[in-house]
Amino acid sequence: MTDITIIGNGNMARGIASRAIAAGKKVEILGQDAAKAQALANELGADVSFGTTAGAPQGSIVVLAVPFDAAKAVVSAYGDQLAGKTVVDITNPVNFETFDSLVVEPGSSAAEEIAALAPAGVNVVKAFNTTFASTLVAGESGGKPLDVFIAGDNAEATQAVSSFVSAAGMRPLVVGPLKRSRELEGFQFVVMTMQANPAFADFNWDTGLAITK
Amino acid sequence: MTDITIIGNGNMARGIASRAIAAGKKVEILGQDAAKAQALANELGADVSFGTTAGAPQGSIVVLAVPFDAAKAVVSAYGDQLAGKTVVDITNPVNFETFDSLVVEPGSSAAEEIAALAPAGVNVVKAFNTTFASTLVAGESGGKPLDVFIAGDNAEATQAVSSFVSAAGMRPLVVGPLKRSRELEGFQFVVMTMQANPAFADFNWDTGLAITK
């Protein structure tokens, strides 16, 4: 039985799927392109199933490992097929034309926009937006388990994501309601601008964001 | 000659002054209450001068180590006495009544509001809003130099703050223009809610925020 469905077949899909497999979860990869989904599933292991987004997701957790616009389209297209599921939004709605702002309005967030498109009974949770793909494959950064910031309005759903993160060897930090995604997305935008800035020679889309002590 | 003026005599004033002294800077403490400023100055060392905010700040860097409302009042009161100086805003404009939002509007920041009150020729720089006082006294968190996120519109001013941070044994991260304070303040608000949340037993206003690798 599938535990976690991952929509997408790019680097973030690979990273989150790697952690899920490390946690002993049964993973399904769904992509628009069946061949690409199959290629990633095969790379990840014999136990990983695959399919296209024409089919309904089987996992109780569905991770939207695609860019913001695609994530919105997926939620709209699936509609009631997501009922009762925990849908994880990982997106960073950065304006890549200007790289100077987000494409969501101040006082909003990608996660909230995605949640607004979902039917009642679908629990959207923000997570993994501050974890670059390469760090997810490793599961750590700077020699410590990755911090995964989690925000959501449904306690059972945030707990499900938190448990997955723990089982996968990372540190879950449930920061509050879904609207806290505004701050999570805002800060990660700044982290992304640093990766793209030659002044930070050491930052190459391979850093983590951590609460240290 | 005074290098750095610190307005305030609380924990953040102590923390930043400690780092400035570690960097070999000549520090001045100015407070509303002369006795409190003197007490902190004496605690910090014989070389630290003090006075009240009735007097003009002598340092080329002036750190507003006071809460947001007080920082605005200080900038308004000093006015042209700050001309040519680098004014460091460290505030987090959290709504402490609800602890659920900031008191600045979405799409704005404390730093930008403070800058709007300053006369032309005053360079406001955001820094030290993500560094709790206790970590500043130590200069490190989790065994690594503290990350200090810096934002500002004037390259010379951000460089001055960056150089100070480096000299004090911390890692300066100049993230962009002053408006990036929106994201720095937003995220630190979330970090603060975690300190206040009993679910995070390990977080007691003593954590750092770091870019790891």
Side-chain angles (χ1 to χ4, degrees), chain A residues 33-59:
Chain A
D33 180 323
K36 288 183 181 170
Q38 180 170 11
L40 177 58
N42 291 349
E43 175 195 324
L44 288 163
D47 236 26
V48 177
S49 58
F50 60 89
T52 73
T53 46
Q58 300 301 308

Short mmCIF file of all heavy atoms in Angstrom, two decimals, chain A residues 33-59:
data_model
loop_
_atom_site.label_atom_id
_atom_site.label_comp_id
_atom_site.label_asym_id
_atom_site.label_seq_id
_atom_site.Cartn_x
_atom_site.Cartn_y
_atom_site.Cartn_z
N ASP A 33 4.53 12.96 -17.40
CA ASP A 33 5.17 12.12 -18.41
C ASP A 33 5.50 10.77 -17.78
O ASP A 33 6.35 10.67 -16.90
CB ASP A 33 6.44 12.85 -18.89
CG ASP A 33 7.19 12.09 -19.95
OD1 ASP A 33 7.25 10.85 -19.88
OD2 ASP A 33 7.75 12.75 -20.85
N ALA A 34 4.80 9.73 -18.23
CA ALA A 34 4.96 8.41 -17.61
C ALA A 34 6.41 7.92 -17.68
O ALA A 34 6.91 7.32 -16.72
CB ALA A 34 4.04 7.40 -18.30
N ALA A 35 7.08 8.19 -18.77
CA ALA A 35 8.45 7.69 -18.92
C ALA A 35 9.38 8.33 -17.90
O ALA A 35 10.26 7.67 -17.32
CB ALA A 35 8.95 7.96 -20.35
N LYS A 36 9.18 9.63 -17.66
CA LYS A 36 10.05 10.31 -16.68
C LYS A 36 9.75 9.82 -15.26
O LYS A 36 10.66 9.67 -14.45
CB LYS A 36 9.86 11.82 -16.77
CG LYS A 36 10.48 12.42 -18.04
CD LYS A 36 10.34 13.94 -18.05
CE LYS A 36 10.94 14.53 -19.32
NZ LYS A 36 10.60 15.96 -19.46
N ALA A 37 8.46 9.61 -14.99
CA ALA A 37 8.10 9.09 -13.66
C ALA A 37 8.71 7.70 -13.48
O ALA A 37 9.25 7.38 -12.41
CB ALA A 37 6.58 9.04 -13.51
N GLN A 38 8.65 6.91 -14.50
CA GLN A 38 9.22 5.56 -14.42
C GLN A 38 10.73 5.61 -14.22
O GLN A 38 11.29 4.85 -13.42
CB GLN A 38 8.90 4.77 -15.70
CG GLN A 38 9.47 3.35 -15.67
CD GLN A 38 8.98 2.47 -16.81
OE1 GLN A 38 8.36 2.98 -17.77
NE2 GLN A 38 9.25 1.18 -16.73
N ALA A 39 11.38 6.51 -14.95
CA ALA A 39 12.84 6.62 -14.83
C ALA A 39 13.24 6.96 -13.40
O ALA A 39 14.17 6.36 -12.83
CB ALA A 39 13.36 7.68 -15.80
N LEU A 40 12.52 7.92 -12.79
CA LEU A 40 12.87 8.28 -11.41
C LEU A 40 12.55 7.13 -10.46
O LEU A 40 13.35 6.80 -9.57
CB LEU A 40 12.13 9.56 -10.98
CG LEU A 40 12.37 9.98 -9.53
CD1 LEU A 40 13.85 10.21 -9.23
CD2 LEU A 40 11.57 11.24 -9.19
N ALA A 41 11.38 6.50 -10.66
CA ALA A 41 11.01 5.37 -9.79
C ALA A 41 12.05 4.26 -9.87
O ALA A 41 12.49 3.72 -8.84
CB ALA A 41 9.63 4.84 -10.18
N ASN A 42 12.48 3.94 -11.07
CA ASN A 42 13.48 2.87 -11.24
C ASN A 42 14.80 3.24 -10.58
O ASN A 42 15.47 2.40 -9.97
CB ASN A 42 13.70 2.57 -12.72
CG ASN A 42 12.47 1.91 -13.35
OD1 ASN A 42 11.54 1.51 -12.64
ND2 ASN A 42 12.47 1.81 -14.68
N GLU A 43 15.16 4.50 -10.71
CA GLU A 43 16.41 4.97 -10.09
C GLU A 43 16.33 4.82 -8.56
O GLU A 43 17.33 4.49 -7.91
CB GLU A 43 16.62 6.44 -10.49
CG GLU A 43 17.81 7.11 -9.82
CD GLU A 43 17.74 8.65 -9.95
OE1 GLU A 43 17.28 9.14 -11.00
OE2 GLU A 43 18.12 9.34 -8.98
N LEU A 44 15.14 5.06 -8.03
CA LEU A 44 14.99 5.06 -6.57
C LEU A 44 14.93 3.65 -5.99
O LEU A 44 15.31 3.43 -4.84
CB LEU A 44 13.73 5.83 -6.18
CG LEU A 44 13.82 7.36 -6.36
CD1 LEU A 44 12.42 7.98 -6.35
CD2 LEU A 44 14.69 7.99 -5.29
N GLY A 45 14.45 2.70 -6.77
CA GLY A 45 14.42 1.33 -6.26
C GLY A 45 13.24 0.55 -6.78
O GLY A 45 12.23 1.12 -7.21
N ALA A 46 13.36 -0.76 -6.67
CA ALA A 46 12.37 -1.66 -7.27
C ALA A 46 11.01 -1.53 -6.62
O ALA A 46 9.97 -1.82 -7.24
CB ALA A 46 12.87 -3.10 -7.15
N ASP A 47 11.00 -1.05 -5.37
CA ASP A 47 9.76 -0.99 -4.61
C ASP A 47 8.92 0.24 -4.91
O ASP A 47 7.82 0.39 -4.37
CB ASP A 47 10.12 -0.97 -3.13
CG ASP A 47 9.44 -2.09 -2.39
OD1 ASP A 47 9.14 -3.11 -3.05
OD2 ASP A 47 9.21 -1.94 -1.18
N VAL A 48 9.47 1.14 -5.71
CA VAL A 48 8.80 2.42 -5.95
C VAL A 48 7.88 2.29 -7.16
O VAL A 48 8.32 1.90 -8.24
CB VAL A 48 9.84 3.54 -6.18
CG1 VAL A 48 9.15 4.86 -6.51
CG2 VAL A 48 10.74 3.67 -4.95
N SER A 49 6.60 2.58 -6.96
CA SER A 49 5.67 2.50 -8.08
C SER A 49 5.59 3.85 -8.80
O SER A 49 6.11 4.87 -8.32
CB SER A 49 4.29 2.05 -7.59
OG SER A 49 3.81 2.93 -6.62
N PHE A 50 4.95 3.86 -9.93
CA PHE A 50 4.91 5.10 -10.72
C PHE A 50 3.66 5.12 -11.57
O PHE A 50 2.97 4.10 -11.74
CB PHE A 50 6.15 5.23 -11.60
CG PHE A 50 6.30 4.10 -12.58
CD1 PHE A 50 5.73 4.16 -13.85
CD2 PHE A 50 7.01 2.96 -12.22
CE1 PHE A 50 5.85 3.11 -14.74
CE2 PHE A 50 7.14 1.90 -13.12
CZ PHE A 50 6.56 1.98 -14.37
N GLY A 51 3.38 6.29 -12.09
CA GLY A 51 2.22 6.45 -12.95
C GLY A 51 2.15 7.89 -13.43
O GLY A 51 3.08 8.67 -13.22
N THR A 52 1.03 8.22 -14.04
CA THR A 52 0.86 9.61 -14.48
C THR A 52 -0.19 10.28 -13.61
O THR A 52 -0.94 9.63 -12.88
CB THR A 52 0.40 9.70 -15.95
OG1 THR A 52 -0.98 9.31 -16.01
CG2 THR A 52 1.25 8.85 -16.85
N THR A 53 -0.22 11.59 -13.71
CA THR A 53 -1.17 12.36 -12.92
C THR A 53 -2.59 12.23 -13.47
O THR A 53 -3.52 12.83 -12.93
CB THR A 53 -0.76 13.84 -12.85
OG1 THR A 53 -0.39 14.26 -14.17
CG2 THR A 53 0.42 14.04 -11.92
N ALA A 54 -2.76 11.42 -14.51
CA ALA A 54 -4.12 11.08 -14.94
C ALA A 54 -4.78 10.15 -13.92
O ALA A 54 -6.01 10.12 -13.80
CB ALA A 54 -4.09 10.42 -16.32
N GLY A 55 -3.95 9.42 -13.18
CA GLY A 55 -4.49 8.52 -12.16
C GLY A 55 -4.56 9.18 -10.80
O GLY A 55 -3.84 10.14 -10.53
N ALA A 56 -5.45 8.68 -9.95
CA ALA A 56 -5.60 9.25 -8.60
C ALA A 56 -4.40 8.88 -7.73
O ALA A 56 -3.87 7.77 -7.85
CB ALA A 56 -6.88 8.73 -7.97
N PRO A 57 -3.98 9.78 -6.88
CA PRO A 57 -2.87 9.47 -5.96
C PRO A 57 -3.32 8.48 -4.90
O PRO A 57 -4.44 8.57 -4.39
CB PRO A 57 -2.53 10.83 -5.35
CG PRO A 57 -3.76 11.66 -5.49
CD PRO A 57 -4.49 11.15 -6.70
N GLN A 58 -2.45 7.54 -4.55
CA GLN A 58 -2.80 6.49 -3.60
C GLN A 58 -2.35 6.78 -2.18
O GLN A 58 -2.91 6.23 -1.23
CB GLN A 58 -2.17 5.16 -4.07
CG GLN A 58 -2.66 4.70 -5.45
CD GLN A 58 -4.17 4.52 -5.50
OE1 GLN A 58 -4.74 3.82 -4.66
NE2 GLN A 58 -4.84 5.17 -6.45
N GLY A 59 -1.34 7.59 -2.00
CA GLY A 59 -0.80 7.82 -0.66
C GLY A 59 -1.73 8.68 0.19
O GLY A 59 -2.52 9.48 -0.32
#
